[in-house]
């Protein structure tokens, strides 16, 4: 490995090295606070490593990896999100688990898998990153050993993730059999030279869609999501909703652009059907739920459908809209799960609608934060979620996708109902003598984190220009 390779992959190498050091620290002496502090430091060092890496872009590590502005932007997004989730994790695991330290091995290792996906441009690096991410999640989902739902969720994810990986690997083999390439640009060049997509490659793409669709949680590969969100520890659910899906979406964008996916109508229609089905299934199923974890799970399915609308637009503004929407979605989802984390006790997670009845009258600040996050998910003005959805609509208009935009508008109206239902429950005054869930004290770190997330959420909703200019600049490197 050359010096330029080492510096360009600095964030990834830094975080992986920190995992090894953390393992040694735990072997020497178990101490939750020290392991937690070192993990926070590791994320900060990995974020700092982005600065020297930016001096060498664009840089390739042939044939597996590419580091450019698109990669570094999403690397920063993944690392920042991981850092915030880690901040929210300390009190949660301190109250629940006797052996807490291994969590701080698995979470950075899963983040490393997502970083590998972000810089991948080859089937082998894609599969390697996916497996690092998935294997870490097996342990993270089932981490709370005393909770039966956690074990059940871990086993479900293990079986389904292994099955989807098998489909993904077989699909890659079929594509390689025809094109003779496993790097994304090589596959794109081979297909353009052929001038059509043969049945073998189309079948391969279909099988790959199963593996990728499972990780994104889109219809019809979404059935795992509500059970996993409900059974996993809350910080892990936040990780799955954001970093896990975001890493896979980034590598999908690079693959789709490199093979010129919009040139092939069959691929476009496959993804369009998935997008419409995800929007309707996610929103309609969320309407029937009483558990907020499950509501957020179905909501995430619908949001993946919204993102696919911009993805299919075939214009540069579509890719820019996806990047902004990912930023807004990461902030909003982590903030929503953060509220659930700070409101949960050592006995139970605050996850049902009744747990939040009259919360505004007991914890007005937290209720205000949760309201802002839910309104952003609904796409209400003055929030980052509204700006993200606006950019997606503009991308759809530029791509003349009127039917998909009509579906998006209808589903945004449907989704508004279940977000408002949660908000109405929080502002509902408790009846006289009614027993409501009350947490004795709220963690200071959690409150500060939620405050910062809310400020960023509103800041991007009021002034998105600076973020959008940064995104437009990085998109020149991939389009």
């Amino acid at each position: 490995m050359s010096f330029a390779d080492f510096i360009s992959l600095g964030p990834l190498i830094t975080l992986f090295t920190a995992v090894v050091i953390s393992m040694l620290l735990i072997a020497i002496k178990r101490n939750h606070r020290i392991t937690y502090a070192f993990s926070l430091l590791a994320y900060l060092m990995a974020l700092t490593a982005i600065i020297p890496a930016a001096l060498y872009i664009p840089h390739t590590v042939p044939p597996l990896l590419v580091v450019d502005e698109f990669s570094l932007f999403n690397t920063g997004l993944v690392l920042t999100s991981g850092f915030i989730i880690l901040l929210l994790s300390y009190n949660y695991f301190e109250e629940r688990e006797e052996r807490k330290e291994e969590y701080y091995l698995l979470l950075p290792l899963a983040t490393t898998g997502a970083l590998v996906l972000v810089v991948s441009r080859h089937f082998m690096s894609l599969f390697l990153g996916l497996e690092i991410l998935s294997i870490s999640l097996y342990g993270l989902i089932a981490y709370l050993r005393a909770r039966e739902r956690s074990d059940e969720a871990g086993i479900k994810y293990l079986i389904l993730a292994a099955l989807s990986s098998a489909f993904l690997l077989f699909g890659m083999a079929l594509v390689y059999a025809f094109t003779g390439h496993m790097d994304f640009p090589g596959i794109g060049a081979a297909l353009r030279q052929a001038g059509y997509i043969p049945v073998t490659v189309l079948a391969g793409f279909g099988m790959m869609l199963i593996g990728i669709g499972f990780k994104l949680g889109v219809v019809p590969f979404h059935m795992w999501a509500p059970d996993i969100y409900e059974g996993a520890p809350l910080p892990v659910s936040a990780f799955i909703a954001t970093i896990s899906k975001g890493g896979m979406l980034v590598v999908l964008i690079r693959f789709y652009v490199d093979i010129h996916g919009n040139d092939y109508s069959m691929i476009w229609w496959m993804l369009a059907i998935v997008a419409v089905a995800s929007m309707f299934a996610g929103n309609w199923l969320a309407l029937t739920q009483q558990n907020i974890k499950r509501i957020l799970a179905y909501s995430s399915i619908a949001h993946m459908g919204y993102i696919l609308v911009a993805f299919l637009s075939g214009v540069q503004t579509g890719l820019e809209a996806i990047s902004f929407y990912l930023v807004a979605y990461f902030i909003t989802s982590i903030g929503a799960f953060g509220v659930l984390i700070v409101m949960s006790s050592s006995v139970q997670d605050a996850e049902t609608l009744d747990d939040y009845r009259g919360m505004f009258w007991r914890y007005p600040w937290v209720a205000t934060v949760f309201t802002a996050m839910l309104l952003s998910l609904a796409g209400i003005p003055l929030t980052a979620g509204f700006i993200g959805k606006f950019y997606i609509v503009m991308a759809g208009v530029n791509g003349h996708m009127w039917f998909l935009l009509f579906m998006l508008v209808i589903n945004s109206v449907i989704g508004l109902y279940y977000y408002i239902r949660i908000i109405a429950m929080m502002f509902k005054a408790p009846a006289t003598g009614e027993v409501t869930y009350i947490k004795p004290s709220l963690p200071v770190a959690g409150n500060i984190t939620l405050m910062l997330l809310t400020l960023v959420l509103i800041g991007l909703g009021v002034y998105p220009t600076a973020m959008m200019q940064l995104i437009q600049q990085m998109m020149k490197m991939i389009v």
Side-chain angles (χ1 to χ4, degrees), residues 18 33 43 81 102 128 140 149 187 196 207 236 238 241 244 247 259 273 277 332 341 346 356-357 374 407 423:
R33 186 166 297 179
Y43 274 93
S81 302
E102 281 79 3
L128 178 63
L140 285 170
R149 288 184 306 172
I187 294 169
Y196 71 103
M207 298 186 80
V236 177
S244 177
I259 69 168
I273 292 170
T332 307
I341 291 170
S346 58
Y356 292 85
R357 184 187 300 272
L374 292 171
M407 294 295 101
I423 296 172

Side-chain angles (χ1 to χ4, degrees), residues 136-171:
S136 302
L137 285 176
Y138 299 157
L140 285 170
I141 292 169
Y143 200 83
L144 297 180
R145 295 167 296 169
R147 183 191 293 178
E148 290 183 4
R149 288 184 306 172
S150 188
D151 292 336
E152 177 187 342
I155 293 172
K156 284 182 179 178
Y157 193 83
L158 169 64
I159 295 171
L160 294 175
L163 183 62
S164 69
S165 295
F167 276 102
L168 178 65
L169 199 58
F170 193 33

Side-chain angles (χ1 to χ4, degrees), residues 43 76-86 242-243 330-331 334:
Y43 274 93
L77 180 61
V78 167
L79 287 172
T80 303
S81 302
F83 179 78
I84 296 171
I85 291 171
L86 200 64
T242 54
I243 296 175
F330 274 40
I331 294 169
I334 294 174

Side-chain angles (χ1 to χ4, degrees), residues 143-407:
Y143 200 83
L144 297 180
R145 295 167 296 169
R147 183 191 293 178
E148 290 183 4
R149 288 184 306 172
S150 188
D151 292 336
E152 177 187 342
I155 293 172
K156 284 182 179 178
Y157 193 83
L158 169 64
I159 295 171
L160 294 175
L163 183 62
S164 69
S165 295
F167 276 102
L168 178 65
L169 199 58
F170 193 33
M172 291 175 178
L174 290 176
V175 174
Y176 174 71
F178 176 81
T179 63
H181 292 275
M182 287 194 289
D183 60 299
F184 301 165
I187 294 169
L191 291 178
R192 299 200 80 168
Q193 184 176 2
Y196 71 103
I197 297 185
V199 176
T200 303
V201 175
L202 192 60
F205 284 158
M207 298 186 80
M208 289 178 63
L209 180 61
I210 295 175
I212 294 172
F214 170 82
K215 191 57 67 177
L216 293 178
V218 292
V219 174
F221 319 110
H222 67 290
M223 298 304 294
W224 61 273
D227 290 339
I228 300 316
Y229 278 51
E230 185 180 8
L234 279 168
V236 177
S237 297
F239 183 94
I240 295 171
T242 54
I243 296 175
S244 177
K245 294 188 176 184
M248 181 54 73
L249 189 62
V250 168
V251 74
L252 178 60
I253 290 173
R254 192 179 293 279
F255 178 70
Y256 194 76
V257 170
D258 284 345
I259 69 168
H260 310 282
N262 272 324
D263 293 344
Y264 309 105
S265 60
M266 186 62 72
I267 298 177
W268 191 94
W269 277 107
M270 286 168 56
L271 293 175
I273 292 170
V274 167
V276 173
S278 297
M279 287 188 281
F280 274 104
N283 284 313
W284 280 106
L285 290 171
L287 292 175
T288 64
Q289 304 302 314
Q290 299 297 317
N291 186 294
I292 294 181
K293 286 183 181 179
R294 298 182 75 88
I295 290 175
L296 291 175
Y298 286 120
S299 169
S300 71
I301 295 168
H303 281 278
M304 288 299 112
Y306 302 154
I307 289 174
L308 286 177
V309 173
F311 186 84
L312 293 167
S313 65
V315 294
Q316 182 171 350
T317 52
L319 297 180
E320 295 167 0
I322 292 173
S323 295
F324 189 94
Y325 200 90
L326 272 183
V327 174
Y329 176 73
F330 274 40
I331 294 169
T332 307
S333 293
I334 294 174
F337 278 104
V339 171
L340 270 64
I341 291 170
V342 301
M343 291 301 300
S344 298
S345 70
S346 58
V347 179
Q348 64 176 3
D349 288 348
E351 59 185 51
T352 66
L353 284 174
D354 287 337
D355 290 334
Y356 292 85
R357 184 187 300 272
M359 191 176 81
F360 178 78
W361 310 105
R362 292 177 280 118
Y363 304 106
W365 160 243
V366 182
T368 302
V369 170
F370 202 17
T371 300
M373 298 302 165
L374 292 171
L375 292 178
S376 181
L377 285 171
I380 301 300
L382 299 182
T383 64
F386 169 76
I387 301 297
K389 196 166 288 186
F390 173 79
Y391 282 135
I392 286 181
V393 171
M394 290 303 297
V397 170
N398 291 337
H400 306 290
M401 299 188 305
W402 307 112
F403 175 73
L404 289 180
L405 285 178
F406 182 65
M407 294 295 101

Side-chain angles (χ1 to χ4, degrees), residues 12-33:
L12 197 156
I13 294 172
T14 300
L15 196 60
F16 184 75
T17 303
V19 173
V20 177
I21 296 174
S22 292
M23 183 170 58
L24 296 175
L25 288 175
I26 294 171
I28 295 171
K29 181 176 176 59
R30 284 185 173 273
N31 187 299
H32 185 200
R33 186 166 297 179

